[in-house]
Amino acid sequence: MAENNQQGIFLTSVEKVANWAMAKSEWPVTMGLACCAIEMMAFGTPRFDASRFGMEVFRASPRQSDLMIVSGRVSHRMAPVVRDVYDKMADPKWVISMGVCASSGGMFNNYAVVQGCDHIVPVDVYLPGCPPRPEMLIDAVGVLRRYVMENHKITKKGRVAAARAAEQAALDAVPIEERKGLLAA
């Protein structure tokens, strides 16, 4: 208690409290697709201790999850499954694209691998590396938490506006067929 029996005043908005609660208690769904999944599993071990971030258990059911960590390359045969798991997750939901293969197809520039999981699900945080270390995943979770605390809207009007802005940005993007890549002259 403060001196002279004075009590502190705690002022904030309901939205900030809700965003704080959502940001501090992500429940990730199991979505390990390739070699990056080993590093994602290491993130949950006692050495890196995901439980100190409130992410103690990777959920096997998407209905109990609000975070998808897509770790590894996504084949065209696996893409519908990834999208189905994402669609079954409860709102609000977020996605971390872990590794260069999940983010851009990596070294697999062929017919069998999706050139970035952002063609399937909307990605909030891209995590580079081949494979990225668990420390990098910890940093990506921190980036996602800051994003959620600052930008998430709990009102329907705010969510609709954010979804429309993201959809418009996707429509304004250069089509995949017209992209030149890093090696083009």
Side-chain angles (χ1 to χ4, degrees), residues 22 62 65-68 83-95 122 124 144 147-148 152 159:
M22 280 188 274
S65 305
D66 60 358
L67 171 64
M68 177 186 281
R83 183 61 198 205
D84 187 48
V85 169
Y86 177 80
D87 289 338
K88 289 179 180 174
M89 290 170 56
D91 283 325
K93 50 192 168 189
W94 297 278
V95 177
D124 297 298
L144 180 65
Y147 173 78
V148 170
H152 183 257
R159 288 194 313 263

Side-chain angles (χ1 to χ4, degrees), residues 72-101:
R73 63 189 174 272
V74 181
S75 67
H76 283 284
R77 291 190 74 171
M78 192 65 182
V81 176
V82 173
R83 183 61 198 205
D84 187 48
V85 169
Y86 177 80
D87 289 338
K88 289 179 180 174
M89 290 170 56
D91 283 325
K93 50 192 168 189
W94 297 278
V95 177
I96 295 177
S97 176
M98 181 176 180
V100 69
C101 294

Side-chain angles (χ1 to χ4, degrees), residues 130-152:
C130 183
R133 298 273 308 142
E135 295 93 343
M136 296 170 71
L137 182 55
I138 290 170
D139 183 60
V141 168
V143 168
L144 180 65
R145 285 184 169 183
R146 286 188 295 277
Y147 173 78
V148 170
M149 289 178 65
E150 294 170 5
N151 298 325
H152 183 257

Side-chain angles (χ1 to χ4, degrees), residues 40 74 79 125 128:
M40 183 178 69
V74 181
V125 177

Side-chain angles (χ1 to χ4, degrees), residues 4-180:
N4 301 330
N5 291 331
Q6 295 177 350
Q7 295 182 354
I9 298 174
F10 185 69
L11 297 175
T12 188
S13 67
V14 173
E15 190 164 71
K16 286 184 181 180
V17 171
N19 286 350
W20 176 83
M22 280 188 274
K24 301 297 182 186
S25 63
E26 296 101 349
W27 289 23
V29 66
T30 303
M31 190 49 65
L33 300 173
C35 43
C36 290
I38 302 299
E39 300 297 325
M40 183 178 69
M41 290 179 222
F43 169 67
T45 63
R47 180 174 181 187
F48 299 102
D49 196 17
S51 63
R52 65 185 158 149
F53 302 108
M55 302 171 71
E56 298 174 20
V57 179
F58 278 78
R59 304 291 169 185
S61 170
R63 289 173 177 81
Q64 300 173 350
S65 305
D66 60 358
L67 171 64
M68 177 186 281
I69 303 172
V70 180
S71 55
R73 63 189 174 272
V74 181
S75 67
H76 283 284
R77 291 190 74 171
M78 192 65 182
V81 176
V82 173
R83 183 61 198 205
D84 187 48
V85 169
Y86 177 80
D87 289 338
K88 289 179 180 174
M89 290 170 56
D91 283 325
K93 50 192 168 189
W94 297 278
V95 177
I96 295 177
S97 176
M98 181 176 180
V100 69
C101 294
S103 298
S104 66
M107 63 190 113
F108 302 101
N109 189 10
N110 59 33
Y111 66 92
V113 176
V114 176
Q115 300 300 302
C117 69
D118 54 353
H119 295 286
I120 305 163
V121 294
V123 176
D124 297 298
V125 177
Y126 291 92
L127 176 57
C130 183
R133 298 273 308 142
E135 295 93 343
M136 296 170 71
L137 182 55
I138 290 170
D139 183 60
V141 168
V143 168
L144 180 65
R145 285 184 169 183
R146 286 188 295 277
Y147 173 78
V148 170
M149 289 178 65
E150 294 170 5
N151 298 325
H152 183 257
K153 305 292 183 209
I154 62 173
T155 61
K156 184 174 181 180
K157 182 180 177 183
R159 288 194 313 263
V160 169
R164 285 191 179 141
E167 185 178 358
Q168 189 59 44
L171 291 171
D172 293 341
V174 176
I176 300 298
E177 300 83 29
E178 295 176 13
R179 293 184 187 173
K180 298 294 184 199

